[in-house]
Structures are given as structure tokens and as C-alpha cells.
Amino acid sequence: MSCQHLQLAEAIELFVHDGASVALEGFTHLIPFAAGHEIIRQRKRDLHLIRMTPDLIYDQLIGMGCARILTFSWGGNPGVGSLHRLRDAVEHGWPRPLEIDEHSHAGMAAAFTAGASRLPFGVLRGYIGTDLPAHNPNIRRVACPFTGEALAAVPALNPDVTILHAQRADRAGNVAIDGIVGAAREAALAAKMLIVTVEEIVDALPPAMNAIVLPHWTVGAVVHCRGGAYPSYAQGHYARDNAFYQRWDAIARDRQRFLDWMDHHVLGTRDHRAFLASLQTEATA
Amino acid sequence: MSCQHLQLAEAIELFVHDGASVALEGFTHLIPFAAGHEIIRQRKRDLHLIRMTPDLIYDQLIGMGCARILTFSWGGNPGVGSLHRLRDAVEHGWPRPLEIDEHSHAGMAAAFTAGASRLPFGVLRGYIGTDLPAHNPNIRRVACPFTGEALAAVPALNPDVTILHAQRADRAGNVAIDGIVGAAREAALAAKMLIVTVEEIVDALPPAMNAIVLPHWTVGAVVHCRGGAYPSYAQGHYARDNAFYQRWDAIARDRQRFLDWMDHHVLGTRDHRAFLASLQTEATA
Amino acid sequence: MSACTRDEWMTVAAARLLANDSVCFVGIGLPSAACNLARLTHAPEIVLIYESGTIGTRPDVLPLSIGDGELAETAACVVPLPEIFSFYLQAGRVDVGFLGAAQIDRFGNLNSTVIGPYELPSTRLPGAGGAPEIALHARQVFVMARATPRSFVEQLDFRSSAGYLDGHGARARTGAPGGGPRAVITDFGMLAPHPESEELQLVALFEGVTVDEARAAIGWPLLVADRLDTIAPPSAHELDTLRALNTRTREAHARPVHIPL
Amino acid sequence: MSACTRDEWMTVAAARLLANDSVCFVGIGLPSAACNLARLTHAPEIVLIYESGTIGTRPDVLPLSIGDGELAETAACVVPLPEIFSFYLQAGRVDVGFLGAAQIDRFGNLNSTVIGPYELPSTRLPGAGGAPEIALHARQVFVMARATPRSFVEQLDFRSSAGYLDGHGARARTGAPGGGPRAVITDFGMLAPHPESEELQLVALFEGVTVDEARAAIGWPLLVADRLDTIAPPSAHELDTLRALNTRTREAHARPVHIPL
């Protein structure tokens, strides 16, 4: 595989197909909002969305009807409360029913790690005494061939496309990530196609040695997209907009207000720069 | 567990008992020679030695009769040839028979990772078409509960004691490792007791973020031991003494010459500093 | 000491349970406040782990999310999340895990998944997240939850994470490695499992609170332990430290964020 | 071009097989020389991985061990060894794996474990190391070995890593993901598997070498492919580059090392 430098719209158009399984990872940090918005703009449908912590961007994708299934382990607005669009889809099937493949964090971490290792399943000592296995056929048991102990097993996650946001890439497409990574590295290496949006493209990455680097030949496409994680954050570039996360609660609570907001700020903007400008305008209005 | 600062002789005396399973890890880089020599000086017996790549230090431990079993995946003198003491123990039972628990690198890596995760076994797609499983009951099969595929399974490695060498620790016992780590981190976190010898003890470690750090509460004992990896190397401190590795071939080929060398340089020296001085003297003689 | 809120009292009560040599797996909200209060008072060496991968973190202000940059910047190290769950939590390296929940039953089992049937819930909650394995592996679990009969219930709608299951050793018989919910800190005092039945019973009350108030807040017939302790109100030092922390936190999070245009 | 040694010719022949966009899992010795020669000549962008965890490394001198500091200093990144084997090799991200061995049979199966019976060997060899899974997962395996009837044998003493097993599709039937030994580069030329039987047959000779010389070096009755190619001697550029690399390497490794007293 050789890494291409693309515009965001091109990358989404080329690699995210209706019906695909797509993981936008990043744990609170480096959530690829710009890429999620572009998926909405291109009105992708029937996606199998995968993410440990469906965040606002998944609330938006679900509320806009892009998703058919959701694989996840915690679906809330961090530090605020519910994801109202996710709730509405599960509780009332609006705008369409959403199938749920629900795990614990440890289970999803094992599934991504198995995916990155191209093993068919991951093993953990987990789920004991919980009702999750009874409701999810993707949580099974496997016996240790040495001790006989029964452990939990989950099928590997190998998304058709994983999308990350990172601080920087070099011209060859090597990607460097600083700070909190969550399961981003495993989701990246588990993917059939990896797209990374980055704050900046540099001639040479900082000295790496034991730092977190995704080698260019594991990366399908690099997209230069400043502010691509906003309102999430990029360590060393900009802070998380906690106030936006709080404002989202009221926006997402109401179907019409949600649709109006998406119409104005996402569907009504050409790209991420225009999206950010529309929020800026609103803030200073 | 709380980390103690000890002298090397104390640490070995306190924590390495006859019959214990002991992993001295470090992959070519950061091999804990000083600690291995101290084990020889204290004439430990019946050890279960564990290491992916038994290096000169294991050749010495085996030749001095410290080991009963060896778990390993590649036992040679890197870039030079055989480990003659290891061969003599396997081929002729000298100075005592050595039981062999033989794996591939991938198998041992999976076993250390399972150990660090406190899972009873590790899974890999491995060993297919090889004779190793027929000769090692510690290589079994496990069926994927989703696909039915048969995969290789190895029992977790959880050494009684893991010993590493690293560049630096702070006074609390946090340990920072730069450069090639091999399976050192997994072997460390798999251990019941972790001893780390370090080049230097500093007031504060360099900024870490995503660097490799063993938190102080995972470390049982820190030993300040300059040059503790020589003739292996410590990135940023000193280079590998390739000439010593080449000289070792002739020393270890002959039982008596080996014994004389060990007598003079290891048993006949009080500590690692004296060991290094004895080599220095020889070099300038 | 000035009058304190029940949230403050809960936070202080939880903080007091933490030892200086503890390794704590911290959640956002009251647990995060309690752990950092402990660190800023009697337990300066306490090790705080957030599931985002930040180990040994010493934030100056409380994080709003589990993955705030502040946690990474002040951490001893930041590791990928799968390592937190396998090399630290599952490996048995966590002394205290903090959990909250929408519902808790008399055996300390928790529900953070759904109200109503799973397939068609009346309320879809965020889900279990890290809780099932924190509940399983931490040497002890502390639950922090404001008590009402709607949250401390006779019967969970869904068991997201295991307390003592049906009690009487049922948890231990599953092979669960950790010790389970050793303390439930509420806004009136504390519950703890009976040594044999493992049913949560009232073991301590905030000074001035009555057993009746406690009983009214709990949705099952609450038993009272043979020995009932009193939890002293926050000391001036505790309260000053907590309020200063909360003030710093509010100020930090109120700073307007620049849209990265 | 000056006269070259057979080792140099083997190295050049192997280097020529490597494409600019290949990801190679490199072993010490001739494979390392071949891969770096390719990088310094026609394949500047080739990605070299050493099992020590160094990815995308560009050493100025050849390493003497698989974990030389030079490999770490010039790498795109250095990761823990378990990740090399799970996230890269097992994940199918390696195009070319290089292997050597003490014995090879007509189906490209390799022995690097023992001569004689496993339980009481006449010669205990270092063992398989990374080979079993490199042989299994790399898209193609290149074997480099000087040929003698004692090393290219009718019957292995031990199968450390799988080539085509008994041939005729036996390897594929095990589910082995990689393509197996596509080329065996020796000191007289090259063997490659027959498309159906998968038996290694002579496909190319160094210019000036005869089929009889090849047959004499192989311990089984060597078949000759329908098409027999000639491998041109090293060009002046290839040989100059390789010799300069070897000279730099010798000089670097001859520098006396300071005992860290």
C-alpha cells in the first residue's frame, strides 16, 4: 500500500462506501470531527460505525441517519451526560433503527488488538457476572488449553476504514501522534484502509525512537486538515472546547434543533474550514 | 509493592532463590550482565532461566551450573555463532543436564504478553508446519469460538523474578528505557518481582508522555549499576563491545578455559566495577 | 468549618478511604475529585490512573473528560488504552477502582446500561465502559452515588457490572479476582457488604444524619451494621483544599477556547 | 568490474530481487547486506524491519547483531518486539522475509534447530528464532544459503520452519497465509519452486557456472527449470556500493569500545 496525500472530500469519497464498517477513533483526544462531518456531507448510508466512545461526532452521524449498526462500549457526552441522538435512535428508531453491538472497554480493546494482530478473536478475563454476554452473541467463552479456565472471547474488529486525526505527518506519510492515544493505534493497524487527517505536514518528523509513529506504508491516505479534531483537541495545538460539549446537550435534545444545526453548520458548509468559520461567526454574533 | 533502592548483591540475595524462574531480558540491547554475574557469584542453583535470546550471560550461567531449565527461542552468539556452554549442556549434559522449553520468537512474545496481562495463555497464528509442537507440550492448539480456526497457544510466562537493565530511574523508582526494548517491558510486567539495574539515578526523568516508562509501583528494586549491560550496550551511554562477543567464542569453546575465565573475571571479582576493571587490566596488559 | 454541601462531604469521605500507597483507577466526576483531594491532602504519593492511558497523573485542575490534555501533561507516562486494561487492570495492579451507576442493588451490582428491557429500553444509558472489568479486577471497588429509591433498587434492569451477584460468596465462586464493592459512599453516609451475606448495609452516617433518612433513600429494606460509625464533616483543611481545587477547575474550564481557524 | 567473491555475487543477486516499495523483514548477515545494498542502489524507499523492533531503519553501516544501536538511531520508530511479530508480521504487512538455515530440503523447508535427534542432538544449533512465523506470514520468503550437499539435504533432521512441506499444495492446505520460499539464492545461482510440484529447481545460474556445478552442490537430484536464466555479475556500481558498505562496516566495528568504568 502506498500513502496518498488527498483532500478530505476526496479521501472520504474514495474510501468510505455506503455499508462500510468505519472506525473514527481517538479517545476524547484527537477525535476526527472534520472527517465525520465530511461523511455526513456526502450522505453516506448504512455504515457500521465502530468506536469505543461514541462522541458528539457519532451522535451527529447517527442523528443524520448514516448508521445501521454501532459497535461501542460507552456512548455518552463525556462529562456532560447523554448522547441524545444515539438515545433517540435506540429508544425510538429515529431517524432509523440502530442495531447495537455492545461491549466493555476491555472487550473492545481486546477486539481492536486482535484485529491489529490479524487474529480472529481476542481473549480477556472479563464480562463475568454481567448481562452483556446474554445480549451479545459476539461475546463468547474460550477455554485455556493449559488450565481449562473459561475466558471471554470477542471477535476481532477489522474496520473497512479507520480514520484518525493526528498532530503531524511527513511528506512520505509517516504519522506521529503525541499524548493520549486510546485504542487509535490498534484501530489504525486493524483497518483495511487507514485515513489520517493531520494538523500539519512537515518535512521531517521530530526524532522518534520509541514515540508513537504509524509508518507511511500502513497509511492509505493523509489529509492536511488544520483544526480537524475540534471541538475535541490536539495536544500541543489547541484545547478541547468543553463549552461546546455542554452546548451540544441542548442542541441534540430536540430533533428539529439538531437538524437545523446540522443544516446550518455541516451540510451548509463546504469544508471543515467553513464549518469552523460558521461557529466563529456564531460566537462573535 | 513499593520500590526499594538496593545494592546489586542485596537485590540478588533477597529475591533470586534457588529453583526460581528468572528472566534476564533485553534484546541485544540492555542485557543485564552485571546482575547475571552476581547470580553466578552467589552460586544460585536449579534456576529456570527464561529469555528469548540466551546471550553470553546465559552461556555463562549455564556453564557455571546455575540452570535446570531453559525457556528460549534463539540461543546463539549474535553475529558470531554458537553458545558453546549451552551446546555442551544440551549435547553432553555438562556441567549438568539442561531441560529445554523451546519456542519461536513469536511464541515467546505471545507468552510474555499473556504473562503481563495475567492471562493463562497467549494466542498466535504460528508454528504451522514445524516440528516444535511435537517436541514441546507447551505448544498447543486453541479453536477460535467464532471462526473455528485452530490457532497456536502457549502458556503465559510469569517469571518469579525479571531483571532488566535500563538507562535511568528516578528516586521514586520510575524507570525509563530508550531504544530497542525487545520483550523487556512485557517480561517486566509479567514478573512477580522486578529488579532493574540502571546506568544512573536522576532527580527527575526526562519528559515522558508516550515514552517507555515502568512506573515505580511495578518495580520491586532499583540498583544503581554503571556499565551494568556491558558487553551489551546502553543506548546513549556506551556501545556494544562486538569484539568481546567475538572473543567469547574461543573462551567458551573449551571447558577449562571457560572455567578459568569465570574464575578470574567473575568469581574472582567483588562486583561489576571490579569485573570491568579486570577486563580493562587485561586489555591494557 | 463553614457549612458544606453533601457532594463535598461525599468527596471528603471517599478521599479519606484512600491510602498514600494506593493505585487508583479513577472515573470522572466525584471520584476524580475525591482521588485528587486525597493526593492534595493526606496521600501525596497516591497513583492515579485514568482509563485514557494516563498513569501517575497529577492534574492541577480536575479533568472534565476522561482524556483531558491536563492528564497527559502531568502523567508519569501515557500508554495505549489496551495496555491499561490488560497490563494494569487485568494484571491485578489496581488497588481501588471507583465506579458510579444509574442503579445499584443490595449486593452492589451496578446498572449503567438501560432502564427497561435491553432490546427496547425506555432510557438508553451510556453503557458500561470500563466498569465490568474494573468491578472484576480492582482489589476493592468504591462506589460513589447519591442515593434515591430510584437508584438504590430492589431489582436492576440490567447488570452492567458485578458486585457480589446474589451474595453469600457467589462472586468469589465465579473466580472474579478482585474483592468487589467494599464501600458505597452516598450523600448520607456509607454502605458496606456484610461479611457473610455480602448484602450492603449501613456502616456509617454523616454526622447529624439519621438512620431513617438513610432508609428513606434506599429502595430495599436497609440493614444496619452492628457497629455504626459517624463520618465527621470535612475539616477546614479538607474543605479549603477541595474548594480551591474546584475553583481552579472552574476557572480553567471557563477560559474561552480559541476555534482553531 | 573487478573479480567478485561468490558472497558478493549472492548479495547482489538477492538485492536485485527487491523492489523499491517492498517491506522486508531482515536477518543478520548476507540478508542484511543484500537489503541495504538494494536500499543504496535501486530501491531507496525500501522499508527494512529488524525483529529487534526497528522499523524503517537506514543504517549507515551493517549491524553485527539484530539489535545494534545503529538500527534504533536510524529507524522511523522502535517498537516492542511483540508488536513486530503481531502488528506487523502476523498482520501480513511484510512483503519479503529473509531466512537462512543449516539445512534446507527440496521443498524449501528449513532446519536451524538440531543435527541428530531433538532429544539428544549431535549438534545443537541456535534454534528457530523468528523463522517459523516469518516463513508462515511473509508474502514471499527469500532463502540465502551457500550450497553444499550437507546443507541442501534429502531429509531434514528437524523442521524448524515450513517451506512447501511435501509440496503439491500441502503448504496452502494448512492455511499458511504467506507465499513460502519463492527464491533460494545460493553461491552458484538460484532455485525456485516448480509451479505445481513446488519442488525447488534450478532457475538461474551465475554467469559462467555450469549445471553440473549446481548439481554437485545439492544433496538431492536437482531438476532444472524449462527456462534457465543467467545472473549477470555485479555491475561496477553494485560492487562499489557493496564494498564501500562493507568497508564502512569493518571500520566502524573495528573502533575499540570503551569499557564503561
Side-chain angles (χ1 to χ4, degrees), chain A residues 183-229:
Chain A
R185 193 190 47 162
E186 287 73 15
L189 294 174
K192 289 164 202 151
M193 166 60 57
L194 171 61
I195 301 172
V196 187
T197 61
V198 295
E199 288 296 323
E200 51 176 343
I201 291 180
V202 296
D203 288 328
L205 294 179
M209 194 77 88
N210 306 107
I212 298 175
V213 172
L214 296 166
H216 64 86
W217 44 283
T218 68
V219 180
V222 162
V223 173
H224 186 198
C225 182
R226 270 195 61 207

Side-chain angles (χ1 to χ4, degrees), chain C residues 72-157:
Chain C
E73 284 156 14
T74 64
C77 60
V78 179
V79 304
L81 179 142
E83 292 176 19
I84 286 289
F85 280 92
S86 56
F87 291 175
Y88 290 89
L89 181 64
Q90 183 173 265
R93 296 188 180 276
V94 170
D95 296 311
V96 178
F98 272 94
L99 294 175
Q103 293 181 331
I104 177 170
D105 71 13
R106 70 177 70 196
F107 293 112
N109 303 299
L110 304 176
N111 173 20
S112 48
T113 305
V114 286
I115 304 297
Y118 183 79
E119 311 302 338
L120 198 65
S122 61
T123 303
R124 173 66 229 197
L125 303 166
E133 285 74 24
I134 296 171
L136 191 59
H137 293 289
R139 263 184 215 106
Q140 43 183 348
V141 168
F142 294 164
V143 179
M144 292 185 78
R146 298 171 198 108
T148 72
R150 287 185 55 212
S151 55
F152 283 61
V153 298
E154 189 71 56
Q155 177 68 42
L156 299 181
D157 289 38

Side-chain angles (χ1 to χ4, degrees), chain C residues 1 4 13 32 64 81 98 109 111 145 149 154 156 159 166 177 190 193 206 219 258:
Chain C
M1 194 221 52
C4 72
S32 178
L64 259 189
L81 179 142
F98 272 94
N109 303 299
N111 173 20
E154 189 71 56
L156 299 181
R159 196 162 65 205
D166 300 319
M190 201 161 83
F206 290 169
H258 173 69

Side-chain angles (χ1 to χ4, degrees), chain B residues 27-29 52 72-76 78-79 81 87 90-91 100 102 104-106 109 113 124-132 135 179-183 185-186 226-227 230 233 235 238-242 246 273 276-277 279-280, chain D residues 28 51-52 54 64-69 71-73 78-83 85 90 113 118-130 132-133 136-137 158-162 165 174-177 253 257-261:
Chain B
F27 200 83
T28 310
H29 184 213
M52 296 189 65
F72 79 113
S73 43
W74 190 84
R87 280 187 58 179
V90 174
E91 295 170 14
I100 289 290
E102 184 169 6
S104 66
H105 282 352
T113 303
L124 66 155
R125 194 178 281 108
Y127 294 111
I128 295 174
T130 81
D131 288 339
L132 283 164
H135 291 88
I180 288 170
V181 286
R185 193 189 50 163
E186 288 72 14
R226 272 194 62 207
Y230 176 88
Y233 73 107
Q235 188 92 43
Y238 46 91
R240 186 170 187 268
D241 192 348
N242 289 313
Q246 281 156 341
R273 203 176 151 71
L276 294 175
L279 290 182
Q280 180 93 294
Chain D
I28 289 302
E51 67 192 11
S52 52
T54 53
L64 259 189
S65 82
I66 198 83
D68 274 18
L71 297 175
E73 284 157 14
V78 179
V79 305
L81 179 143
E83 293 176 18
F85 280 91
Q90 183 173 265
T113 304
Y118 183 79
E119 310 303 337
L120 195 66
S122 60
T123 303
R124 173 66 229 196
L125 303 166
E133 285 75 24
L136 192 60
H137 293 290
F158 188 95
R159 196 160 66 204
S160 312
S161 55
L165 301 175
T174 66
H253 294 312
V257 166
H258 173 70
I259 293 176
L261 243 183

Side-chain angles (χ1 to χ4, degrees), chain A residues 236-280:
Chain A
H237 288 258
Y238 46 92
R240 186 172 188 265
D241 193 347
N242 289 312
F244 184 90
Y245 275 81
Q246 281 156 343
R247 284 205 305 280
W248 183 254
D249 188 74
I251 296 166
R253 235 173 236 281
D254 180 81
R255 289 178 186 171
Q256 195 53 51
R257 187 165 167 199
F258 163 77
L259 290 173
D260 291 347
W261 193 94
M262 293 301 294
D263 225 39
H264 183 69
H265 291 287
V266 179
L267 295 179
T269 55
R270 197 181 55 256
D271 59 16
H272 193 61
R273 204 177 151 70
F275 164 77
L276 294 175
S278 81
L279 290 182
Q280 181 92 292

Side-chain angles (χ1 to χ4, degrees), chain C residues 4-14 206-207 231-234:
Chain C
C4 72
T5 68
R6 288 288 174 100
D7 272 7
E8 287 169 337
W9 206 336
M10 281 176 77
T11 306
V12 168
F206 290 169
E207 196 177 284
I231 298 173

Side-chain angles (χ1 to χ4, degrees), chain B:
Chain B
M1 190 193 297
S2 118
C3 175
Q4 308 177 51
H5 284 267
L6 297 174
Q7 298 297 309
L8 181 53
E10 293 175 288
I12 300 301
E13 202 173 321
L14 274 170
F15 301 121
V16 180
H17 303 299
D18 287 353
S21 58
V22 184
L24 283 72
E25 267 299 342
F27 200 83
T28 310
H29 184 213
L30 295 174
I31 299 174
F33 268 87
H37 287 163
E38 188 56 32
I39 291 173
I40 292 170
R41 281 190 202 101
Q42 295 191 17
R43 299 179 185 278
K44 301 293 181 187
R45 284 293 174 274
D46 295 321
L47 299 179
H48 175 180
L49 291 179
I50 303 171
R51 189 176 152 75
M52 296 189 65
T53 54
D55 194 82
L56 271 49
I57 189 63
Y58 272 38
D59 210 32
Q60 297 176 1
L61 284 157
I62 290 165
M64 295 302 284
C66 301
R68 189 177 57 85
I69 318 183
L70 175 68
T71 295
F72 79 113
S73 43
W74 190 84
N77 181 341
V80 180
S82 286
L83 292 177
H84 297 289
R85 294 299 97 223
L86 166 57
R87 280 187 58 179
D88 205 6
V90 174
E91 295 170 14
H92 309 106
W94 191 92
R96 51 171 296 179
L98 182 68
E99 200 179 312
I100 289 290
D101 171 35
E102 184 169 6
H103 292 272
S104 66
H105 282 352
M108 264 192 93
F112 272 135
T113 303
S117 308
R118 295 302 188 279
L119 289 174
F121 70 109
V123 179
L124 66 155
R125 194 178 281 108
Y127 294 111
I128 295 174
T130 81
D131 288 339
L132 283 164
H135 291 88
N136 189 344
N138 280 333
I139 303 169
R140 299 189 186 170
R141 309 295 281 172
V142 65
C144 171
F146 300 96
T147 65
E149 180 185 354
L151 294 138
V154 288
L157 283 168
N158 287 107
D160 292 327
V161 187
T162 289
I163 306 179
L164 300 185
H165 187 71
Q167 283 95 348
R168 52 188 71 82
D170 65 16
R171 294 185 199 286
N174 296 295
V175 171
I177 305 178
D178 292 325
I180 288 170
V181 286
R185 193 189 50 163
E186 288 72 14
L189 294 173
K192 289 162 202 153
M193 165 60 57
L194 172 61
I195 302 172
V196 187
T197 61
V198 295
E199 289 296 323
E200 51 176 342
I201 292 181
V202 296
D203 289 327
L205 294 179
M209 194 75 92
N210 305 108
I212 298 175
V213 172
L214 296 166
H216 65 86
W217 45 282
T218 67
V219 180
V222 162
V223 173
H224 185 198
C225 180
R226 272 194 62 207
Y230 176 88
S232 163
Y233 73 107
Q235 188 92 43
H237 288 259
Y238 46 91
R240 186 170 187 268
D241 192 348
N242 289 313
F244 183 90
Y245 276 80
Q246 281 156 341
R247 283 204 307 279
W248 182 253
D249 188 75
I251 296 166
R253 234 174 237 281
D254 179 81
R255 289 178 186 171
Q256 195 53 51
R257 187 166 169 198
F258 163 75
L259 289 174
D260 290 347
W261 193 93
M262 294 301 294
D263 224 40
H264 183 70
H265 292 288
V266 179
L267 295 180
T269 54
R270 197 181 56 255
D271 58 16
H272 194 61
R273 203 176 151 71
F275 164 78
L276 294 175
S278 80
L279 290 182
Q280 180 93 294
T281 306
E282 193 175 66
T284 54

Side-chain angles (χ1 to χ4, degrees), chain B residues 174 215-217, chain C residues 22-24 26 36 39 44-50 53-59 70-78 84 88:
Chain B
N174 296 295
H216 65 86
W217 45 282
Chain C
S22 294
V23 176
C24 298
V26 190
N36 282 289
R39 182 173 64 81
E45 300 304 324
I46 194 169
V47 174
L48 306 186
I49 298 182
Y50 290 73
T54 54
I55 296 179
T57 186
R58 310 173 70 79
E70 172 84 5
L71 297 175
E73 284 156 14
T74 64
C77 60
V78 179
I84 286 289
Y88 290 89

